[in-house]
Amino acid sequence: QKSRFSYKWDFGTRMVNIGLWDDVLIRVTGKFRLDNTFVSGTVDQSLGIISVSTDIRGIPNEKCRVRVSVDYNDLNITCLEREILFKEDVFLLKEDLEISNPLLWYPNGTGEQPLYKVKIQVLCGDEESDQCEFYTGIRKLEYRKNEGSTEDSLPYTIVVNGKPVYIKGVNLVPFDLLYGNITREIYDYYVFLLKNANINLVRIWGGGLIEKEYFYHLCDVNGIMVWQEFIQSSSGIENVPSTDAKFLELLKSTAEHAVKTKRNHVCHTVWSGGNELRDEDGKPITYENLNIGMLKDIVEKYDPGKLFLPSSASGPNEFLDIEQLGKNHDVHGNWKYGGVEEHYRIFNRSDSLLHSEFGVDGCSSFQSLKKFLGEKNLVLTDVKNNLVWRHHGEWWDTLGRDIEIFGQFSSLEQFIKASQFIQAEGIRYALEANRRRKFKNSGSIVWQFNEPWPNAYCTSLVEYYGYPKMAYYWLRTAYSPVHASLSYDRLYYKPGDRFKGGIYAHNSLDATDVCIYYEILDAAGRAFEKDEIYIKIRADSAQLIKELQFTVPEFMRGVFFIRLKVTDFSGEVLSENLYIFTQQEKEVFAPLFNLRESRLNIRKEGEKYIAKNEGEVVCLFVHGVSHESVEFIIDNNYASIFPGEEKVFRVIRRDEANNPVKADLKIEWRHFNNG
C-alpha cells in the first residue's frame, strides 16, 4: 500500500520508491515467544496503572515463567512473575501494575515527559526464551466537545490528566522523497525543531507514511502528541475511499499492524482514516462508509478508547467557509495569503472548531536556492518564465502576490525577504485569531512543517535543507506559553482613519501575573501612544484585555508599528510581538524598502549575540544565517530593533554534548531593509 505523495504532489516531484525502506530484523527466540504486546499507562485518581497485554506463544502442556518489571531511571519500581501452563499454543497475559505517586506525562509546554521502562521476559527454567522492552508514560487521555459546539460535532478538544490542551500543531509530510534515507540524526534534528517551536502535536498526513519507530520514540521523549492517519488520501482524481474487496484486505492488514505498533507510544493521541476523504457527493466521509467503518472497528478492537476521526477534514464542511457559520467543524484551507484586508476578515470571522490544515506559501532562502537552481537560474523570475523554478514548486509562485503588495523588486534577495515576511504575517495572524477563541476552537495544525524535496517556494516552515524560514520563528512566538496578540481588520490605514483592534492575553500555564506593554511607534521608534497593563492571566485562557482604538495620524515614511511585550513582574520578557501597518493603499509595503538609515552593530558574547541599532530607523527582521552544516536555532530570530535599542539573540544548539560543533560558528547577520 504505497504513499500517494510519491506519485507527485504540490511539494514534490514524482519519485516512486521500490523495495524495503524501514528497519528489517530477524528475531531469534526460544520455544516461547511474545506477540501482539500492548503496553499503556493511565491514572485512576492518584494511582498510576501500567497495563500490559501480550500473547505468549508456546507448546501445549509445557510450562514457562513470565516476568514483568517496571523501572524508572534504572531503579525498579515494581515487578511481577507468573508461572504459565499452556493448555493451547497461545496464552493471553493481561496484567495491571500499580504505581504509587506516579510521575505523569504531559504534552510539550504543559509539563514533563517522564518515561517508565517496561520489560517483559519469558523464561524457560533459568533461560530467557524471549523478551521485549517498552518506554511508556502515565497519563489519562480524554476528549471533549468544544465550548458551545453543536450536538452533531465530534470531540476535538484533547484532555490530558484532566487538563484540556490547546493544540499547537503542524502537519508533517515525509522528510524526503527517498524516505528510506532518513537517519536517526535527521529525525533528532526535526524533533528538536518541533519542540523548540512550542509545538505540541503533529498530524502525520495520510498522503505520506506511517513513520519509523524511532520518530515516535522521540515524540514520547519530547512531548509531541501524534495524530496518525492511515495511508489514504485525496489523489487529484478520486477522493472517495476505496471499498474494493482486495484493497480492503490490504488496508486491513496494514492498519492492524500500524495500530498494534503505534498504540504503545504515549505520544499517540488520535487516529484518522486519511486525508480529505469524501463521499460521492463531495462531503467529508463519515463512519458509515465501509472502508472507514472497518478502520474504526480495528481501532476500537486494538486501541480502545482512542479517538478515531473518519478523515481530516471532518464535519459538514471540508473547507473553511465564513459564509456558512456553524458548519465549520474540523476544516481545511486556505493555503494562500488572502490579501491585506480579506485575510483578516476570514480569520476574524472564522468559527472553526478545529483548523487541522491551512497555511501560507513563501519563498525559500537564498542559501537553499543556490544549492539546486544553478547559477543561471538565481534570478528574479516566476514559474511562467523559468521551467526550473516551475519544476520546484509551480503551485506556490508568490511573485505576483508580492509585487502587488511591495511593488517591483530590485533583486532576488529583496523578493525572498518580502515573500517570507508575508508568509510569516499570514500564518501568525491565523494562529493568533484561532487562539483568541480557545476552547471554542480546539487548536491549529499548520500546513506544513517540512518538505521532502527542494522547493523554490512552498507552504513549508522548514526548507528541504533544514533551514527554518521566517514563518517558523513567528509561529514559535505565536505558540509561546504566555503571549499577547493584536486583532485588526487590515494592514493599511490612511491618516484620519479609525484604527479598531483588541489586545489579547494568552496563557497555556497556570494563572500567571504579567505586565503587558503596548506601544504605537513610528519608524524612528517615537511613541505615539504607550501604556502598561498589569494583569493575572487566567489559567489556560485567552482574554481580551484592552480595546485599542485611535485616530491614525500621519506617520513619517508612511508606516507605523504596534509592539506588544509580555514580562513577568521581575521584568523578564516572556514574549514579544511587532505588527506593521502602512498608510499606502496600493503596493502597501513599498515604503519598507525606503527605510535605509538603519545601522546594525553586532557583538558576540559566548553563545549570545547582542545587536544594537545605531541608525535612525528601525532594523526590520534581524536574523542570523549560517552556511555551515550546524543544527541550531536562534532565539529572537527575525525580531525587529528600533533606534538606540539592543536585543539579545541566543544560539540554541541541538544536543551539543553528543554532537559537538565548532566554537567559532560563523553567523552572518541580515535584516529586511539593509539593501
Side-chain angles (χ1 to χ4, degrees):
Q1 188 191 356
K2 283 192 158 318
S3 303
R4 171 63 186 86
F5 89 107
S6 295
Y7 294 85
K8 190 170 180 13
W9 208 271
D10 57 79
F11 50 75
T13 192
R14 178 184 174 92
M15 191 175 290
V16 182
N17 288 241
I18 296 173
L20 299 171
W21 68 276
D22 202 351
D23 298 337
V24 179
L25 58 88
I26 296 173
R27 289 180 60 238
V28 179
T29 71
K31 57 185 177 182
F32 301 98
R33 66 182 177 89
L34 301 166
D35 194 14
N36 294 330
T37 304
F38 183 15
V39 174
S40 63
T42 189
V43 185
D44 185 0
Q45 296 179 347
S46 61
L47 192 65
I49 298 173
I50 293 179
S51 298
V52 176
S53 170
T54 187
D55 291 338
I56 305 173
R57 301 191 180 275
I59 302 169
N61 300 317
E62 292 270 356
K63 289 182 180 180
C64 71
R65 283 186 298 121
V66 180
R67 177 185 298 146
V68 182
S69 61
V70 178
D71 292 1
Y72 182 75
N73 282 349
D74 296 326
L75 294 175
N76 182 252
I77 304 300
T78 187
C79 184
L80 67 82
E81 286 197 25
R82 285 190 58 181
E83 188 172 278
I84 296 171
L85 172 63
F86 280 80
K87 296 181 180 179
E88 299 177 352
D89 58 358
V90 179
F91 181 88
L92 173 60
L93 177 76
K94 296 185 74 172
E95 296 287 352
D96 289 338
L97 291 87
E98 297 183 350
I99 310 294
S100 300
N101 303 313
L103 301 171
L104 301 185
W105 187 95
Y106 284 92
N108 184 31
T110 59
E112 301 299 318
Q113 294 82 41
L115 296 178
Y116 291 84
K117 184 172 80 171
V118 180
K119 185 173 183 178
I120 307 167
Q121 297 171 283
V122 183
L123 303 167
C124 185
D126 293 328
E127 184 177 329
E128 185 178 82
S129 183
D130 197 7
Q131 67 92 19
C132 58
E133 290 182 357
F134 297 88
Y135 285 86
T136 192
I138 296 176
R139 58 96 173 90
K140 186 172 185 179
L141 182 61
E142 301 169 285
Y143 311 92
R144 296 179 190 167
K145 289 192 175 187
N146 296 55
E147 296 176 5
S149 62
T150 57
E151 189 174 332
D152 63 338
S153 65
L154 295 171
Y156 296 117
T157 298
I158 296 167
V159 182
V160 178
N161 301 325
K163 178 179 180 177
V165 178
Y166 188 78
I167 294 171
K168 302 175 182 178
V170 289
N171 284 275
L172 204 70
V173 301
F175 292 103
D176 202 288
L177 286 174
L178 293 171
Y179 41 80
N181 287 353
I182 300 303
T183 63
R184 288 193 168 201
E185 289 73 23
I186 293 172
Y187 282 125
D188 287 339
Y189 175 58
Y190 276 99
V191 174
F192 161 78
L193 291 180
L194 289 168
K195 182 166 188 175
N196 279 277
N198 300 306
I199 290 163
N200 62 20
L201 180 143
V202 293
R203 171 183 169 234
I204 302 182
W205 172 69
L209 302 169
I210 294 171
E211 279 288 354
K212 295 183 181 181
E213 274 290 277
Y214 185 64
F215 174 77
Y216 300 88
H217 171 69
L218 290 176
C219 291
D220 291 339
V221 170
N222 291 283
I224 311 297
M225 296 183 292
V226 171
W227 166 327
Q228 179 67 62
E229 299 198 329
F230 293 107
I231 305 307
Q232 300 191 104
S233 178
S234 57
S235 67
I237 300 171
E238 178 63 81
N239 289 54
V240 180
S242 174
T243 54
D244 175 83
K246 290 185 178 179
F247 176 76
L248 290 181
E249 182 180 351
L250 173 64
L251 178 63
K252 182 174 186 290
S253 173
T254 57
E256 286 182 346
H257 181 268
V259 174
K260 289 179 181 180
T261 305
K262 306 314 175 193
R263 66 185 179 179
N264 289 312
H265 291 279
V266 66
C267 66
H268 187 277
T269 306
V270 177
W271 292 104
S272 167
N275 172 64
E276 293 183 356
L277 305 177
R278 306 173 194 156
D279 63 21
E280 290 77 1
D281 298 322
K283 299 292 185 183
I285 204 73
T286 68
Y287 300 122
E288 305 304 315
N289 177 270
L290 181 63
N291 175 308
I292 299 302
M294 179 190 75
L295 292 174
K296 185 173 186 288
D297 289 343
I298 289 171
V299 170
E300 289 177 349
K301 179 178 180 180
Y302 295 111
D303 197 6
K306 198 71 67 66
L307 177 64
F308 172 78
L309 297 173
S311 177
S312 175
S314 59
N317 285 347
E318 180 174 11
F319 304 115
L320 176 63
D321 185 347
I322 60 173
E323 305 306 322
Q324 295 191 48
L325 300 180
K327 295 184 177 181
N328 300 303
H329 292 186
D330 164 23
V331 290
H332 287 189
N334 291 334
W335 296 267
K336 290 278 188 180
Y337 181 64
V340 297
E341 186 166 1
E342 180 65 11
H343 190 79
Y344 306 92
R345 187 178 82 91
I346 290 170
F347 285 98
N348 287 338
R349 290 197 63 197
S350 172
D351 68 339
S352 66
L353 302 181
L354 173 63
H355 210 162
S356 63
E357 186 181 315
F358 66 96
V360 177
D361 44 356
C363 194
S364 291
S365 65
F366 189 82
Q367 66 197 73
S368 278
L369 296 180
K370 71 179 184 180
K371 289 178 182 287
F372 64 90
L373 286 182
E375 187 173 347
K376 70 177 183 179
N377 295 305
L378 282 172
V379 294
L380 185 60
T381 186
D382 60 19
V383 300
K384 294 179 182 177
N385 296 294
N386 188 302
L387 293 180
V388 176
W389 280 70
R390 180 179 178 182
H391 186 50
H392 289 274
E394 63 180 307
W395 282 37
W396 307 114
D397 185 346
T398 72
L399 184 60
R401 173 198 78 186
D402 298 325
I403 287 175
E404 184 177 338
I405 296 172
F406 291 87
Q408 294 295 329
F409 297 106
S410 62
S411 66
L412 173 58
E413 290 89 341
Q414 196 178 65
F415 161 60
I416 291 169
K417 292 176 182 179
S419 181
Q420 289 212 0
F421 166 42
I422 294 302
Q423 181 187 23
E425 161 68 18
I427 288 175
R428 172 182 67 175
Y429 197 84
L431 295 178
E432 292 181 343
N434 285 341
R435 195 173 177 185
R436 287 191 280 269
R437 298 187 295 112
K438 178 183 180 177
F439 281 98
K440 292 181 179 180
N441 168 271
S442 290
S444 301
I445 311 178
V446 174
W447 184 266
Q448 69 210 72
F449 185 68
N450 61 305
E451 59 185 26
W453 153 266
N455 286 289
Y457 5 59
C458 186
T459 49
S460 62
L461 302 174
V462 181
E463 298 161 14
Y464 175 74
Y465 298 103
Y467 304 127
K469 291 182 182 176
M470 182 175 178
Y472 168 89
Y473 285 99
W474 281 28
L475 170 142
R476 183 174 184 258
T477 298
Y479 280 166
S480 297
V482 181
H483 182 59
S485 73
L486 180 70
S487 66
Y488 44 95
D489 295 327
R490 60 186 190 273
L491 293 180
Y492 63 92
Y493 292 85
K494 300 186 296 297
D497 284 351
R498 191 72 177 161
F499 183 99
K500 294 182 180 180
I503 299 174
Y504 287 76
H506 305 278
N507 187 18
S508 300
L509 309 175
D510 295 333
T512 305
D513 292 315
V514 298
C515 180
I516 298 179
Y517 298 83
Y518 78 88
E519 302 170 283
I520 304 168
L521 304 166
D522 67 9
R526 293 185 291 258
F528 163 74
E529 178 180 326
K530 62 181 178 179
D531 199 1
E532 53 191 45
I533 304 164
Y534 291 87
I535 185 175
K536 180 184 283 288
I537 314 178
R538 296 191 302 269
D540 285 318
S541 69
Q543 298 172 235
L544 174 64
I545 62 169
K546 183 177 178 62
E547 296 275 7
L548 187 62
Q549 299 188 31
F550 60 94
T551 300
V552 178
E554 186 170 351
F555 285 97
M556 66 172 285
R557 308 296 180 89
V559 291
F560 67 98
F561 308 84
I562 299 179
R563 180 163 61 179
L564 305 180
K565 185 163 60 175
V566 185
T567 71
D568 61 21
F569 282 5
S570 71
E572 181 182 350
V573 177
L574 304 178
S575 69
E576 186 175 319
N577 242 345
L578 184 72
Y579 301 89
I580 305 174
F581 302 95
T582 174
Q583 303 196 290
Q584 186 165 304
E585 192 169 348
K586 301 295 184 183
E587 298 178 353
V588 297
F589 279 139
L592 295 183
F593 287 121
N594 297 325
L595 302 176
R596 298 290 187 183
E597 301 88 349
S598 59
R599 189 168 70 253
L600 197 63
N601 182 286
I602 305 284
R603 68 181 190 274
K604 188 175 186 299
E605 295 181 3
E607 292 287 86
K608 296 189 298 185
Y609 293 80
I610 294 88
K612 183 174 183 179
N613 184 347
E614 297 178 343
E616 300 174 14
V617 294
V618 62
C619 289
L620 291 171
F621 318 141
V622 177
H623 60 283
V625 174
S626 174
H627 299 284
E628 300 179 38
S629 183
V630 178
E631 297 175 350
F632 67 90
I633 62 171
I634 300 175
D635 199 25
N636 273 337
N637 228 18
Y638 292 94
S640 297
I641 309 175
F642 285 88
E645 293 182 345
E646 285 188 345
K647 196 168 288 292
V648 176
F649 296 81
R650 181 172 59 91
V651 174
I652 303 172
R653 304 177 189 260
R654 182 187 73 80
D655 196 11
E656 185 176 359
N658 296 325
N659 298 278
V661 296
K662 293 189 297 184
D664 60 342
L665 173 65
K666 294 180 176 62
I667 295 180
E668 296 177 11
W669 290 92
R670 303 170 181 171
H671 59 282
F672 186 87
N673 47 320
N674 65 339

